[in-house]
Amino acid sequence: MAAVVFHINGSEFLLKRYKALMAESWDGNHDPGSPSEESYHLERLHIEPIYDAFICPLTKQVMQDPVTLENGMTFEREAIEKWFKECRDSGRKPVCPLTHRDLKSTELNPSIALRNTIEEWNARNEAAQIDMARRSLSMGSAHGDIMQALKFVQHLCQKSRANKHVIRNADLIPMIVDMLKTSSRRVRCKALETLLVVVEDDDDNKEIMAEGDNVRTIVKFLSNEQSKEREAAISLLYELSKSKNLCGKIGSVIGAILILVGMASSKSENLVTVEKAENTLANLEKCEINVKQMAENGRLQPLLTLLLEGSSETKLSMAAFLGELVLNNDVKVLVARTVGSSLISIMRHGNMSSREAALKSLNQISSDESSAKILIEAGILPPLVKDLFFVGANQLPMKLKEVSATILANIVNTGYDFDSVPVGSEHQTLVSEDIVHNFLHLISNTGPAIECKLLQVLFGLTSSPTTVFNVVSAIKSSAATISLVQFIEAPQKDLRVASIKLLRNLSPHMGQELASCLRGTSGQLGSLIKVISENTGITEEQAAAVGLLADLPERDRGLTRQMLDEGAFQLAISRIVSIRQGETRGNRFVTPYLEGLVKVLSRITFVLNDEPNAVSLCRERNVAALFIELLQTNGLDNVQMISAMALENLSQESKNLTKLPEIPKPGFCVSIFPCLSKPPVITGLCKVHRGTCSLRDTFCLLEGQAVDKLVALLDHTNEKVVEASLAAVCTLLDDGVDIEQGVHELCEAEGIKPILLVLLEKRTETLRRRAVWAVERLLRTEDISFEVSSDPNVSTALVDAFQHGDYRTRQIAERALKHVDRIPNFSGVFPNTG
C-alpha cells in the first residue's frame, strides 16, 4: 500500500489544531478516569487526521504491526491471531472477522508498506505534538495547557522506552524541571510525576537530572507541607538514587540526608513515603561520603557496617570519621556492642594510621559508663595498658599515648571492679603495685597533657573503695606524695584540677603525709588558698581544693596555724557569708564548695585552747554566730553536722573564757563581826558558766540562743547530725559548769524528752554512749530522777547499756541506774576505812 502523505503548512495552524484537539478531548466536563482511558484519549490527539486504513477493524486503534489475510483484509497481528485461536478453541473453521467467510489459509502476510506509512504518520504527529508540548511548557502558558503537555510526555514515555530518548533530544527535561517553580500545586505535582516517568530505567535521562540545581529543587519538595508533592518528590528521588553517579549529587544537597533520615523514622508520614525514604537512603549508602553524613544525622548503622565489612581503606576512613562524631550515650552503647571488638583488634594489630583511627573512635565511645563497660568486657584494657607503657619499635607517639590515657581515664571512672581484670602478662591488674608505679613514673616524665589524663586514671581508681587502698599503698611505697602535691602549682588548669581531685581522694587515707607536704615552704598551701579565693563563680577546681583542705587532719595544729597565717579562715568566712547572702552564683558545685568551706572554718575551733590568734579571729568575725546560723541550712546535712561540732568546741571554751565576777574584800567591821556581812548581789551573770558571757567573746550557747536549735536537730534523720548536736548540747552539762543550771536550761528548751528518745532509739553505739552520759547528768536533778524512775522504757534502755555497752558506758549507766534506784547505792553502808 502506498504511503499516504498529508502536508500541513503553517505552525500557527498546527498550534490551533493541537489546542482544539486538546480542548475537545479534555474539556471541563470530561473525567479521564483510569490511566488506560487517559492513554486512549492521548492516542487520539493527532495533528494529521487518522485514515481508516490505519485502524484495525478488531481493536479500533491505529495498527502497529499490520498483517493481511488471503482475502486482502488487514488487521493488527496480535488481534487476528487471537481471533484465530478463539476459532480453533471453539471448533470452528477460521473465518474472516469482517466477511465471515471461510478462509483456506490462516497465513498472515506483513503489510510492510502500510506499517511504514503508519510509522511515518506517527512520527510526524509525535514530532508535531512534541513541538506543541515545548510551546506549552513555559511559565506564560495556561495551567491547563501545561497539564496536557505533561500528560502527553508521560503517555509518550509509557508508550515506548525509545520515546524517552526522543524526549531527551527534544530538551524537554529541563523545561519540565522549570515547571516545578510554578505557582500551581497541581502543575508542580504533575511535573514531579512526569519526571519520574521520564527518568525511570533510563540512566541517560537521570544524568540530565544531575545537571545544575535540578536535584536541589526536588529535595526542597521533601519539606513541602503538601503530602502529595512530598510523596511525588520522594518517589522521584528514589528513582534517581538508583544511579550511583546521582547518589553523590543528592548527598551534596545541604540538608537532603537529614530530611530523608527524618522521613524514614517519621511516625506521621504514610508507610509508602517512609518506605521510599528508607530505600532512597539505602541506595545513597553506595557513596561513602553519604554514609558519613548519615552518621552525623543519627543513622549510624551504614557506617558501622562498612567499618566491619569494608576494605582496609574503607575501614580506616570510617574509624577515623567515627572518632570525630559527637554521639549521645545510647548511640555509644550501640557502637560499642557493634564494632567495639573490631576497633580493639585494629588497635592491637593495625598499622599506625589504623591504630590512631581506632584509638580516636574508642576515645569517643568510652566516655559513657555503659559503653565503657562493654569495651572492658571486650578486652580493651591489656592492649591499652601495653600501648601506654611500651617503649621500642612500633611504640605509640606521645600524642596517641595521650589518647590511650584519655580512654583509660574514661574507663576507670565507671566503677568497675578493676582488681579482678588482668592487664599484664603476669596477671597484674590496674591496681597492682608495679602497674601503679609505672603510672607514677609516666606522670613524672611526660608532658602536661598525658600527666593530666594519668592523674585522672589514678583519681578514678581511688574513687572506688575496693581499689583505693592498693593505690594508696603503691603511692606510699614509691614515695611519690611530694611529686603529686607539686602539681597543685601547675600553670595548666586541667592538670591542677586532676591533681587536687586525686589528692582529695587520698587525704582520708594519707592525710598526715599530705598535711606534712603542705606545711612546707614550697607554697602549695598558698596555691590551694589562691584557687579557693578566685572570683569566677564556683568551679570544680575550687570545690576540689576546699574539699582537700577540709579533709586534712583537723587536729594538725601546725597546718592550722599556717592556714591562719595565710588567711584561709578569713577567706572561708567571707565566702560562706557570700553564698548565704546569695551573692555567689550557684551551680552544681555550690554544695560541696560550701560544705568544704564550713569544714575548713571548723578547724580553727580545734586549737582555741592554745592559740590566742584563733580566739581573737573567732571573736572578731563572730564565728559562733555564723555556725549557729548554719545550723538552719536544712537539706545540707554535712553543713549542719560540722556546724554542731564546731559549736561543741566553741562551747567547751566558754568556761575558760567567761569573766568571773570580782567579789569586793570585806571591810574592817565585817572582819571583826562576821555576822554583819551580807553576800554581794551580782547581776547579769551566766547561770551555767557563773560569769559574764556573750556569744561573740565567750561563745556562750545560751547567749547565742543556740540551745533550742541544737535540740531541734536531735530529731534529725541523719545519725551524724544527731551525734554532733547532742555533743554540743552536752557541753551545758559538762564538768566545770553549773550542771543543775544546765539541766534547767535544757528544760526551758524542751530538750529533756529528745535526749531520752535518743537513748531509747539506740540508733548507733556512739549515740547510745553519748545519750547515756547525758541522761546520767540529767538524773542528778531530783525532779527529773523522780519522773524518769516511773518510765520503764528509760530504765530498760539504761539496763541494756549497763549490760552491753563498753566499759566506760557501763560505768556511766550504773551511776544513772542508781539515780533511779534500779541499783542500790552501797556507798553509805560500808564505813570508810581508808
Side-chain angles (χ1 to χ4, degrees), residues 516-554:
S516 299
C517 292
L518 290 171
R519 279 202 307 270
T521 58
S522 300
Q524 284 89 4
L525 179 61
S527 297
L528 275 178
I529 295 172
K530 182 180 178 182
V531 167
I532 298 169
S533 67
E534 292 176 355
N535 287 312
T536 55
I538 301 174
T539 65
E540 182 184 22
E541 182 182 17
Q542 288 180 306
V546 76
L548 170 58
L549 280 182
D551 287 341
L552 295 175
E554 66 268 4

Short mmCIF file of all heavy atoms in Angstrom, two decimals, residues 516-554:
data_model
loop_
_atom_site.label_atom_id
_atom_site.label_comp_id
_atom_site.label_asym_id
_atom_site.label_seq_id
_atom_site.Cartn_x
_atom_site.Cartn_y
_atom_site.Cartn_z
N SER A 516 51.81 17.15 105.98
CA SER A 516 53.24 17.43 106.16
C SER A 516 53.83 18.09 104.92
O SER A 516 54.64 19.03 105.02
CB SER A 516 53.99 16.13 106.46
OG SER A 516 53.52 15.54 107.66
N CYS A 517 53.41 17.61 103.73
CA CYS A 517 53.90 18.22 102.48
C CYS A 517 53.41 19.66 102.35
O CYS A 517 54.16 20.55 101.95
CB CYS A 517 53.44 17.41 101.28
SG CYS A 517 54.20 15.76 101.17
N LEU A 518 52.15 19.90 102.68
CA LEU A 518 51.58 21.24 102.53
C LEU A 518 52.14 22.21 103.56
O LEU A 518 52.14 23.42 103.33
CB LEU A 518 50.05 21.17 102.66
CG LEU A 518 49.33 20.49 101.50
CD1 LEU A 518 47.86 20.29 101.84
CD2 LEU A 518 49.47 21.30 100.22
N ARG A 519 52.63 21.71 104.69
CA ARG A 519 53.18 22.60 105.71
C ARG A 519 54.54 23.15 105.33
O ARG A 519 55.05 24.05 105.99
CB ARG A 519 53.32 21.85 107.04
CG ARG A 519 52.05 21.73 107.83
CD ARG A 519 52.35 21.49 109.30
NE ARG A 519 53.25 20.36 109.49
CZ ARG A 519 52.85 19.09 109.66
NH1 ARG A 519 51.57 18.82 109.66
NH2 ARG A 519 53.73 18.12 109.82
N GLY A 520 55.12 22.62 104.28
CA GLY A 520 56.45 23.08 103.88
C GLY A 520 56.43 24.49 103.34
O GLY A 520 55.41 25.19 103.32
N THR A 521 57.57 24.91 102.84
CA THR A 521 57.73 26.29 102.35
C THR A 521 57.60 26.39 100.84
O THR A 521 57.92 27.42 100.25
CB THR A 521 59.10 26.84 102.78
OG1 THR A 521 60.13 25.96 102.26
CG2 THR A 521 59.22 26.89 104.30
N SER A 522 57.16 25.29 100.20
CA SER A 522 57.11 25.29 98.73
C SER A 522 55.96 26.10 98.17
O SER A 522 55.93 26.41 96.98
CB SER A 522 57.01 23.84 98.21
OG SER A 522 58.13 23.09 98.64
N GLY A 523 54.97 26.39 98.98
CA GLY A 523 53.90 27.27 98.53
C GLY A 523 52.64 26.58 98.06
O GLY A 523 51.72 27.23 97.57
N GLN A 524 52.58 25.22 98.19
CA GLN A 524 51.40 24.53 97.70
C GLN A 524 50.14 24.93 98.50
O GLN A 524 49.05 25.04 97.94
CB GLN A 524 51.58 23.02 97.77
CG GLN A 524 52.46 22.46 96.67
CD GLN A 524 53.92 22.43 97.08
OE1 GLN A 524 54.26 22.77 98.21
NE2 GLN A 524 54.80 22.07 96.15
N LEU A 525 50.30 25.14 99.82
CA LEU A 525 49.16 25.55 100.62
C LEU A 525 48.63 26.89 100.14
O LEU A 525 47.42 27.09 99.99
CB LEU A 525 49.53 25.62 102.10
CG LEU A 525 48.40 26.06 103.04
CD1 LEU A 525 47.23 25.09 102.97
CD2 LEU A 525 48.92 26.17 104.48
N GLY A 526 49.54 27.82 99.89
CA GLY A 526 49.13 29.12 99.37
C GLY A 526 48.45 29.01 98.03
O GLY A 526 47.49 29.74 97.74
N SER A 527 48.91 28.07 97.19
CA SER A 527 48.29 27.88 95.88
C SER A 527 46.86 27.36 96.02
O SER A 527 45.95 27.79 95.29
CB SER A 527 49.11 26.89 95.04
OG SER A 527 50.40 27.41 94.78
N LEU A 528 46.65 26.45 96.97
CA LEU A 528 45.30 25.96 97.22
C LEU A 528 44.38 27.09 97.66
O LEU A 528 43.25 27.22 97.18
CB LEU A 528 45.32 24.87 98.29
CG LEU A 528 45.62 23.44 97.84
CD1 LEU A 528 45.65 22.52 99.05
CD2 LEU A 528 44.61 22.94 96.82
N ILE A 529 44.86 27.90 98.59
CA ILE A 529 44.06 29.01 99.09
C ILE A 529 43.76 30.00 97.98
O ILE A 529 42.66 30.55 97.88
CB ILE A 529 44.77 29.68 100.27
CG1 ILE A 529 44.88 28.70 101.45
CG2 ILE A 529 44.04 30.95 100.71
CD1 ILE A 529 45.75 29.19 102.59
N LYS A 530 44.74 30.20 97.10
CA LYS A 530 44.54 31.12 95.97
C LYS A 530 43.45 30.61 95.04
O LYS A 530 42.62 31.38 94.54
CB LYS A 530 45.85 31.28 95.21
CG LYS A 530 45.75 32.25 94.04
CD LYS A 530 47.09 32.38 93.32
CE LYS A 530 46.97 33.32 92.12
NZ LYS A 530 48.25 33.41 91.37
N VAL A 531 43.44 29.30 94.81
CA VAL A 531 42.40 28.71 93.95
C VAL A 531 41.02 28.95 94.56
O VAL A 531 40.07 29.35 93.88
CB VAL A 531 42.64 27.20 93.77
CG1 VAL A 531 41.41 26.52 93.16
CG2 VAL A 531 43.86 26.96 92.90
N ILE A 532 40.92 28.73 95.88
CA ILE A 532 39.64 28.90 96.56
C ILE A 532 39.15 30.35 96.49
O ILE A 532 37.95 30.62 96.44
CB ILE A 532 39.76 28.45 98.03
CG1 ILE A 532 40.11 26.96 98.09
CG2 ILE A 532 38.47 28.70 98.81
CD1 ILE A 532 40.52 26.48 99.47
N SER A 533 40.08 31.27 96.45
CA SER A 533 39.74 32.70 96.52
C SER A 533 39.32 33.31 95.19
O SER A 533 38.87 34.44 95.15
CB SER A 533 40.93 33.49 97.08
OG SER A 533 42.02 33.47 96.16
N GLU A 534 39.49 32.58 94.09
CA GLU A 534 39.20 33.15 92.78
C GLU A 534 37.72 33.52 92.67
O GLU A 534 36.84 32.75 93.05
CB GLU A 534 39.56 32.17 91.67
CG GLU A 534 41.07 31.94 91.55
CD GLU A 534 41.40 30.89 90.51
OE1 GLU A 534 40.44 30.27 89.98
OE2 GLU A 534 42.58 30.66 90.23
N ASN A 535 37.45 34.70 92.13
CA ASN A 535 36.07 35.19 91.98
C ASN A 535 35.56 34.91 90.57
O ASN A 535 35.31 35.80 89.78
CB ASN A 535 36.00 36.69 92.28
CG ASN A 535 36.14 36.99 93.76
OD1 ASN A 535 35.48 36.37 94.58
ND2 ASN A 535 37.01 37.92 94.10
N THR A 536 35.43 33.65 90.24
CA THR A 536 34.97 33.26 88.90
C THR A 536 33.74 32.36 89.00
O THR A 536 33.57 31.44 88.23
CB THR A 536 36.08 32.52 88.15
OG1 THR A 536 36.51 31.41 88.95
CG2 THR A 536 37.25 33.43 87.85
N GLY A 537 32.88 32.64 89.97
CA GLY A 537 31.82 31.68 90.24
C GLY A 537 32.41 30.55 91.07
O GLY A 537 33.48 30.67 91.65
N ILE A 538 31.73 29.45 91.11
CA ILE A 538 32.23 28.28 91.85
C ILE A 538 32.57 27.20 90.84
O ILE A 538 31.69 26.69 90.14
CB ILE A 538 31.18 27.78 92.86
CG1 ILE A 538 30.84 28.89 93.85
CG2 ILE A 538 31.70 26.57 93.61
CD1 ILE A 538 29.70 28.53 94.79
N THR A 539 33.84 26.86 90.74
CA THR A 539 34.30 25.89 89.75
C THR A 539 34.57 24.54 90.41
O THR A 539 34.66 24.42 91.63
CB THR A 539 35.59 26.39 89.08
OG1 THR A 539 36.64 26.46 90.07
CG2 THR A 539 35.38 27.77 88.46
N GLU A 540 34.73 23.54 89.56
CA GLU A 540 35.09 22.21 90.06
C GLU A 540 36.42 22.25 90.78
O GLU A 540 36.61 21.59 91.81
CB GLU A 540 35.14 21.22 88.90
CG GLU A 540 35.47 19.79 89.32
CD GLU A 540 35.60 18.85 88.15
OE1 GLU A 540 35.87 19.32 87.03
OE2 GLU A 540 35.46 17.63 88.36
N GLU A 541 37.35 23.04 90.25
CA GLU A 541 38.68 23.16 90.88
C GLU A 541 38.56 23.73 92.29
O GLU A 541 39.20 23.24 93.23
CB GLU A 541 39.57 24.04 90.02
CG GLU A 541 40.99 24.18 90.58
CD GLU A 541 41.86 25.10 89.75
OE1 GLU A 541 41.32 25.88 88.94
OE2 GLU A 541 43.09 25.06 89.92
N GLN A 542 37.74 24.76 92.46
CA GLN A 542 37.58 25.36 93.78
C GLN A 542 36.94 24.38 94.75
O GLN A 542 37.37 24.27 95.92
CB GLN A 542 36.72 26.62 93.67
CG GLN A 542 37.43 27.80 93.00
CD GLN A 542 36.54 29.01 92.92
OE1 GLN A 542 35.43 28.94 92.40
NE2 GLN A 542 37.01 30.13 93.44
N ALA A 543 35.90 23.67 94.30
CA ALA A 543 35.24 22.69 95.17
C ALA A 543 36.22 21.59 95.59
O ALA A 543 36.23 21.16 96.75
CB ALA A 543 34.03 22.10 94.46
N ALA A 544 37.07 21.14 94.64
CA ALA A 544 38.04 20.10 94.97
C ALA A 544 39.11 20.62 95.92
O ALA A 544 39.53 19.93 96.85
CB ALA A 544 38.68 19.58 93.68
N ALA A 545 39.56 21.86 95.70
CA ALA A 545 40.61 22.44 96.54
C ALA A 545 40.14 22.61 97.98
O ALA A 545 40.85 22.26 98.94
CB ALA A 545 41.07 23.78 95.97
N VAL A 546 38.95 23.17 98.15
CA VAL A 546 38.45 23.36 99.51
C VAL A 546 38.13 22.02 100.15
O VAL A 546 38.29 21.84 101.37
CB VAL A 546 37.23 24.31 99.51
CG1 VAL A 546 35.98 23.61 99.03
CG2 VAL A 546 37.00 24.91 100.88
N GLY A 547 37.71 21.05 99.35
CA GLY A 547 37.45 19.71 99.88
C GLY A 547 38.72 19.05 100.37
O GLY A 547 38.71 18.34 101.39
N LEU A 548 39.83 19.25 99.64
CA LEU A 548 41.11 18.70 100.07
C LEU A 548 41.53 19.29 101.41
O LEU A 548 41.90 18.56 102.34
CB LEU A 548 42.17 18.99 99.00
CG LEU A 548 43.62 18.68 99.38
CD1 LEU A 548 43.78 17.21 99.78
CD2 LEU A 548 44.56 19.03 98.22
N LEU A 549 41.48 20.61 101.53
CA LEU A 549 41.84 21.24 102.80
C LEU A 549 40.92 20.77 103.93
O LEU A 549 41.36 20.56 105.07
CB LEU A 549 41.75 22.76 102.68
CG LEU A 549 42.92 23.48 102.00
CD1 LEU A 549 42.68 24.98 102.01
CD2 LEU A 549 44.23 23.15 102.70
N ALA A 550 39.65 20.60 103.62
CA ALA A 550 38.69 20.21 104.65
C ALA A 550 38.95 18.81 105.17
O ALA A 550 38.68 18.51 106.34
CB ALA A 550 37.27 20.30 104.08
N ASP A 551 39.47 17.91 104.30
CA ASP A 551 39.65 16.52 104.69
C ASP A 551 40.97 16.25 105.40
O ASP A 551 41.19 15.14 105.89
CB ASP A 551 39.55 15.62 103.45
CG ASP A 551 38.13 15.49 102.94
OD1 ASP A 551 37.21 15.79 103.72
OD2 ASP A 551 37.94 15.11 101.77
N LEU A 552 41.86 17.23 105.44
CA LEU A 552 43.13 17.03 106.14
C LEU A 552 42.88 16.96 107.65
O LEU A 552 41.90 17.51 108.14
CB LEU A 552 44.10 18.17 105.80
CG LEU A 552 44.53 18.22 104.32
CD1 LEU A 552 45.38 19.46 104.07
CD2 LEU A 552 45.29 16.96 103.93
N PRO A 553 43.76 16.27 108.39
CA PRO A 553 43.53 16.08 109.84
C PRO A 553 43.29 17.41 110.55
O PRO A 553 44.14 18.30 110.53
CB PRO A 553 44.83 15.43 110.32
CG PRO A 553 45.39 14.75 109.11
CD PRO A 553 45.02 15.62 107.96
N GLU A 554 42.09 17.54 111.18
CA GLU A 554 41.74 18.83 111.78
C GLU A 554 42.55 19.14 113.02
O GLU A 554 42.64 20.30 113.44
CB GLU A 554 40.24 18.87 112.09
CG GLU A 554 39.78 17.91 113.17
CD GLU A 554 39.33 16.58 112.60
OE1 GLU A 554 39.45 16.39 111.38
OE2 GLU A 554 38.84 15.75 113.39
#
